[in-house]
Amino acid sequence: MSASRVILLCGPAGSGKSTTARRLEAEGWVRLGWDEEAARRGYLGYPLPDGAQDDVHAAVQERLVGLVGEGRDVVVDTSFWQRALRTAYRELLAPVGVVPTTWYLRVPWPTLLARVTARTGSGPDDVVISEATLRRFVTGFEVPTADEGPLVVLDAEPEPESDAAPGPGG
């Protein structure tokens, strides 16, 4: 059996993590969605109550270790907004010989805001958050660097042109 591959998707809300994870899932990867795990535990919005983040990460980590033990390729769909959290996942996998690759989804503010504003609350990875909350997420976000380990930086795809009529003067 070949060694598992693990991708840690990294980016603030609206960066396209779940979309990217679903693409990988369609290729045979197992997607571990942090938002789905939070929803299973009854956490349906932000901010989460004290201790809830640790509880959700513990459940995701337990599943991750089990899947890697089965030789599965896994994509972890969460923000990984803190270097310490990325390090914790790397340390979790080190004893089993897996070095995860961080995929950082680099997205400009206007795109993040547009995506989050378009959310409808249709599911765990479509949670409606305010602009103020998104600003806090982005302000506190610790951008990954190559010295942490393998890193792939994915820039946002351009947003499709709108079919709306141009504004005045356009």
Side-chain angles (χ1 to χ4, degrees):
M1 173 170 34
S2 63
S4 295
R5 297 174 292 169
V6 175
I7 294 172
L8 308 177
L9 290 179
C10 179
S15 61
K17 295 178 304 294
S18 294
T19 300
T20 301
R22 283 193 189 93
R23 287 182 190 142
L24 289 165
E25 187 176 36
E27 296 173 13
W29 291 68
V30 176
R31 179 173 75 94
L32 291 182
W34 193 91
D35 292 326
E36 287 84 355
E37 188 61 42
R40 272 194 285 281
R41 296 171 178 294
Y43 307 126
L44 303 174
Y46 296 98
L48 272 60
D50 288 343
Q53 286 188 5
D54 292 341
D55 182 41
V56 175
H57 278 296
V60 170
Q61 289 175 340
E62 182 178 332
R63 288 198 57 217
L64 175 60
V65 169
L67 289 163
V68 166
E70 295 170 11
R72 304 290 305 271
D73 292 332
V74 182
V75 56
V76 183
D77 178 7
T78 188
S79 67
F80 286 106
W81 67 278
Q82 290 178 304
R83 181 181 182 130
L85 184 59
R86 297 185 296 267
T87 298
Y89 274 73
R90 281 192 179 83
E91 290 173 353
L92 175 74
L93 293 168
V96 294
V98 174
V99 178
T101 300
T102 299
W103 284 16
Y104 169 46
L105 285 73
R106 184 169 49 194
V107 179
W109 170 257
T111 302
L112 292 175
L113 183 59
R115 290 176 178 174
V116 167
T117 301
R119 290 182 173 184
T120 62
S122 66
D125 56 0
D126 189 44
V127 173
V128 176
I129 61 173
S130 69
E131 180 176 342
T133 298
L134 179 60
R135 282 190 189 281
R136 282 194 306 275
F137 287 171
V138 170
T139 300
F141 190 84
E142 297 176 3
V143 175
T145 57
D147 68 315
E148 295 178 43
L151 174 65
V152 173
V153 178
L154 302 171
D155 287 309
E157 296 176 15
E159 292 297 309
E161 292 292 324
S162 170
D163 291 335

